[in-house]
Amino acid sequence: SPIDMSTLLFSWASASTYFTARKKIVGFSIPFLAATKVHAGGGVNTHMTTPIANIDMVTDLLGGDLLNADPSVLGDNLEEYLTDKDNYFESTGFHAQAGLQFKLLMVDTFVIYRYTIAKDVVPGSDGFGSLNIRLGFGL
């Protein structure tokens, strides 16, 4: 019998935590008007991800035997698989980053490039880069 896909609601999620020490490399300012800083730093990071769909996951969800699979158990198996903490991926690593902060009157902007070294956070890779742009407004 067909599977009612409306009852198979789930999502993929991940969480990462970064602890960074940074140091100002250079900076200049125009009092009351503008300021700029270049900084660099590094630190440690942790990552946790819900299970990622792959052949092993599908095989487990269908009872371990793809040739004789019973798709009617997929819903129950999926819920059990996703709630089992042993199927979550956890990783720790290190990162290095460089950034630019500039202020103009009350607008504060950060541009940060970070390279993270942590095995398999991105499947099949030992590291990845990210660019973060932040905009703030202060009174």
Side-chain angles (χ1 to χ4, degrees):
S1 67
I3 300 170
D4 179 9
M5 295 304 286
S6 66
T7 63
L8 293 177
L9 299 176
F10 68 95
S11 61
W12 177 84
S14 69
S16 298
T17 304
Y18 290 85
F19 295 98
T20 306
R22 72 177 197 180
K23 178 158 177 56
K24 181 176 91 171
I25 305 299
V26 67
F28 71 90
S29 66
I30 301 170
F32 305 110
L33 183 61
T36 301
K37 295 179 193 173
V38 175
H39 56 83
V44 297
N45 41 269
T46 61
H47 309 272
M48 186 169 109
T49 305
T50 56
I52 298 173
N54 58 27
I55 293 294
D56 293 334
M57 177 183 177
V58 172
T59 302
D60 286 348
L61 292 176
L62 292 174
D65 181 3
L66 292 178
L67 294 176
N68 300 309
D70 179 10
S72 66
V73 299
L74 183 59
D76 291 336
N77 288 351
L78 180 62
E79 183 177 351
E80 184 178 316
Y81 189 91
L82 291 175
T83 57
D84 184 353
K85 298 292 185 200
D86 289 337
N87 294 323
Y88 282 46
F89 172 75
E90 294 184 39
S91 178
T92 59
F94 301 93
H95 63 277
Q97 70 181 40
L100 171 67
Q101 176 185 7
F102 51 95
K103 294 181 183 181
L104 182 60
L105 297 175
M106 295 178 287
V107 178
D108 198 2
T109 305
F110 290 87
V111 178
I112 301 168
Y113 177 78
R114 177 184 292 147
Y115 190 79
T116 300
I117 301 166
K119 188 172 175 62
D120 288 331
V121 173
V122 174
S125 177
D126 289 339
F128 61 94
S130 61
L131 181 65
N132 192 321
I133 301 172
R134 303 174 188 174
L135 182 65
F137 183 78
L139 297 176

